[in-house]
Amino acid sequence: MKLSIYTLTFLFAGIFLMPFQTEAQEKKTLFIILDGIQRELLIKNPTPNMDEIISEGGYFPAHVGGAKGGYSETPTISAVGYNSLLTGVWVNKHNVKGNSIRRPNYNYWTIFRHFKENYPNKTTAVYSTWLDNRTKLVGENLEATGHLQLDYHFDGLEVDTLGYPHDDKSEYIKKIDQEVAAYAAKDISRKAPDLTWVYLQYTDDMGHRFGASPEMDLAIQEADRQVGLIWSAIKEREKEFDEDWMIAITTDHGRGEGGFHHGGQSDEERATWIISNQSFNEIASNIPGIVDLFPTIANYMHIEIPKNQAMEVDGVSLWGEAYASHLKGTLNGNLLNLNWKDYGSGEKAKIWVTPTNQFRYGNSDLYRLLGETDLAKETVELDLKMKYDNLKVVLELPEGFINVWLKNQE
């Protein structure tokens, strides 16, 4: 792995996270989750295919787990991380708290649902070593997701215990990963879905069984070979059909001491990474979160997000112009203090607040506009003239939003 970094009536109005531009090339996006690969082992191992992708775009240290100790603190568990990518929000919103996926809050739409709402005639695909990714997280054909339909999928092999008999060394998962990657590469080469998710599991199994070990090293190298199949199909499509692809590769969590387990909030468990063939903006150099991939894909693919939904997104786009990120704040009595990271745009942002959280129930929140602030100041103090126990604060940027939930400390 190379360590180079190439480096309120308005609520239902539609917005573009990025202004639409007429382009000759058709844009397509594919994202891959390689389960449970800690940052240091990815860097240590030879990964020539991912290195080639990095050479076209970049490698970025990233994180999962939400705000440590805060309202959005999120378990570093697999399905929880997948859903944070799919929805662009942390667990306090999407409500997937573990791998059982008991009660997802489908009011927080996945990137697939937004994409199909915008482009019903374009195609989507999921190729996965875990069936629940499509049936529960994406929620295909569920009433709660508007009976969302994907165009292509290849998954569920793990429930075929006759064709793939389970063994205590996870060789069946290794075989399934290989078949999923090969099938995905073949479909990409022939059908080129417009928005695709590939999920591969074997690395996580090796981590749980052997920790940081030669077995885990070999699993990472095998995952790179599988990425290479998909990357070759993308390059072929770009060459033969003049398409413009974004590939984004990440992992869902790090690992604790010894590289065995995860789920907690240690720095090692929260530490992840993102790789892409696209040149990301300055925000990507400030330890982005897995939630940032949702708005990144939305910007790249020109997906229109309704304003009331965009105000809930916890991530910020890594593609396109950077305005602000890392919104934090305190609420003490009537006083609201906010701070953020500015990226030199010279623009202003509107400040919206609401004490309610009706969106989670499928309703709308009534926001109060407090005014505007210069992003370059990176801080503002406001007298609210009244006390709120809890407050959702949203900065409306020239393109997109950033938000934070605050609890009154008085």
Side-chain angles (χ1 to χ4, degrees):
M1 163 63 68
K2 299 175 183 176
L3 265 181
S4 303
I5 297 181
Y6 298 82
T7 37
L8 317 152
T9 56
F10 67 90
L11 288 178
F12 292 99
I15 64 163
F16 276 111
L17 291 181
M18 186 108 181
F20 179 78
Q21 297 176 352
T22 302
E23 295 168 341
Q25 291 180 298
E26 185 177 11
K27 286 186 176 292
K28 296 176 182 286
T29 291
L30 181 145
F31 59 94
I32 301 175
I33 295 178
L34 303 178
D35 202 315
I37 300 178
Q38 57 266 57
R39 202 184 289 167
E40 64 273 16
L41 290 189
L42 183 72
I43 294 169
K44 165 191 168 184
N45 274 280
T47 53
N49 294 295
M50 284 188 271
D51 287 348
E52 183 178 320
I53 294 170
I54 290 168
S55 71
E56 294 195 9
Y59 161 86
F60 306 95
H63 78 280
V64 295
K68 189 173 182 178
Y71 186 66
S72 66
E73 183 174 287
T74 297
T76 55
I77 296 173
S78 294
V80 185
Y82 314 159
N83 214 40
S84 289
L85 189 160
L86 290 172
T87 61
V89 301
W90 298 113
V91 71
N92 57 296
K93 297 179 181 179
H94 67 60
N95 203 46
V96 172
K97 300 177 181 180
N99 289 336
S100 59
I101 316 176
R102 290 176 182 168
R103 290 185 295 275
N105 190 336
Y106 294 114
N107 292 316
Y108 300 92
W109 288 16
T110 67
I111 193 68
F112 286 101
R113 190 172 179 187
H114 281 295
F115 184 74
K116 275 296 189 180
E117 189 75 11
N118 277 254
Y119 305 109
N121 296 322
K122 291 192 175 185
T123 55
T124 54
V126 170
Y127 308 102
S128 172
T129 302
W130 198 30
L131 179 63
D132 286 355
N133 286 340
R134 174 173 59 88
T135 59
K136 293 184 178 181
L137 294 182
V138 175
E140 186 177 36
N141 203 34
L142 298 180
E143 182 179 357
T145 65
H147 297 286
L148 172 68
Q149 294 291 328
L150 299 172
D151 297 280
Y152 312 112
H153 69 266
F154 184 74
D155 54 16
L157 301 185
E158 79 278 12
V159 301
D160 178 6
T161 56
L162 293 178
Y164 301 87
H166 294 196
D167 63 280
D168 60 6
K169 295 182 180 180
S170 290
E171 286 297 314
Y172 76 104
I173 293 294
K174 180 179 181 180
K175 182 178 179 181
I176 291 172
D177 272 10
Q178 291 169 342
E179 294 203 24
V180 167
Y183 194 101
K186 183 178 179 180
D187 253 19
I188 290 161
S189 180
R190 295 181 177 182
K191 302 173 182 176
D194 296 291
L195 178 61
T196 300
W197 176 19
V198 176
Y199 165 72
L200 303 173
Q201 178 181 319
Y202 183 63
T203 45
D204 190 55
D205 282 28
M206 292 300 96
H208 281 297
R209 291 177 183 277
F210 300 105
S213 62
E215 290 84 356
M216 183 62 165
D217 290 341
L218 290 173
I220 292 170
Q221 293 165 35
E222 176 62 23
D224 182 71
R225 284 189 286 273
Q226 292 160 10
V227 167
L229 294 176
I230 296 165
W231 176 233
S232 292
I234 288 175
K235 290 189 294 182
E236 175 188 336
R237 293 290 312 187
E238 289 188 321
K239 180 180 179 181
E240 297 297 324
F241 297 94
D242 196 33
E243 295 165 347
D244 187 7
W245 285 74
M246 176 169 72
I247 181 171
I249 309 171
T250 191
T251 194
D252 50 334
H253 53 75
R255 312 195 81 91
E257 185 177 356
F260 288 94
H261 304 300
H262 56 88
Q265 293 294 316
S266 69
D267 290 345
E268 293 79 10
E269 291 165 292
R270 291 170 56 88
T272 61
W273 46 268
I274 296 171
I275 287 168
S276 180
N277 65 326
Q278 295 291 325
S279 296
F280 286 162
N281 61 32
E282 303 97 306
I283 298 172
S285 298
N286 286 286
I287 316 296
I290 197 168
V291 293
D292 295 328
L293 287 173
F294 174 104
T296 301
I297 295 169
N299 267 9
Y300 184 77
M301 298 295 288
H302 302 303
I303 300 172
E304 184 179 344
I305 309 292
K307 191 170 185 177
N308 67 320
Q309 297 183 22
M311 292 174 83
E312 294 287 334
V313 173
D314 292 327
V316 60
S317 179
L318 308 178
W319 191 86
E321 185 167 359
Y323 294 98
S325 67
H326 296 80
L327 177 63
K328 298 179 181 178
T330 57
L331 188 60
N332 287 281
N334 297 343
L335 292 180
L336 171 65
N337 286 274
L338 299 173
N339 58 81
W340 57 87
K341 171 66 177 174
D342 173 63
Y343 294 94
S345 69
E347 300 283 354
K348 295 179 180 292
K350 294 179 180 178
I351 306 172
W352 299 93
V353 297
T354 180
T356 65
N357 192 17
Q358 290 299 308
F359 185 92
R360 68 186 299 180
Y361 304 111
N363 303 315
S364 297
D365 292 300
L366 184 64
Y367 283 86
R368 171 186 170 194
L369 178 61
L370 299 183
E372 287 190 334
T373 185
D374 293 323
L375 287 173
K377 292 181 179 179
E378 294 193 319
T379 186
V380 66
E381 181 179 277
L382 299 164
D383 187 348
L384 302 175
K385 308 298 183 184
M386 60 186 301
K387 181 180 177 181
Y388 297 100
D389 291 332
N390 297 284
L391 202 63
K392 179 164 52 178
V393 183
V394 181
L395 288 193
E396 182 177 355
L397 306 174
E399 295 165 8
F401 302 84
I402 49 177
N403 75 83
V404 63
W405 265 100
L406 301 175
K407 184 175 182 179
N408 207 308
Q409 297 180 5
E410 189 173 275

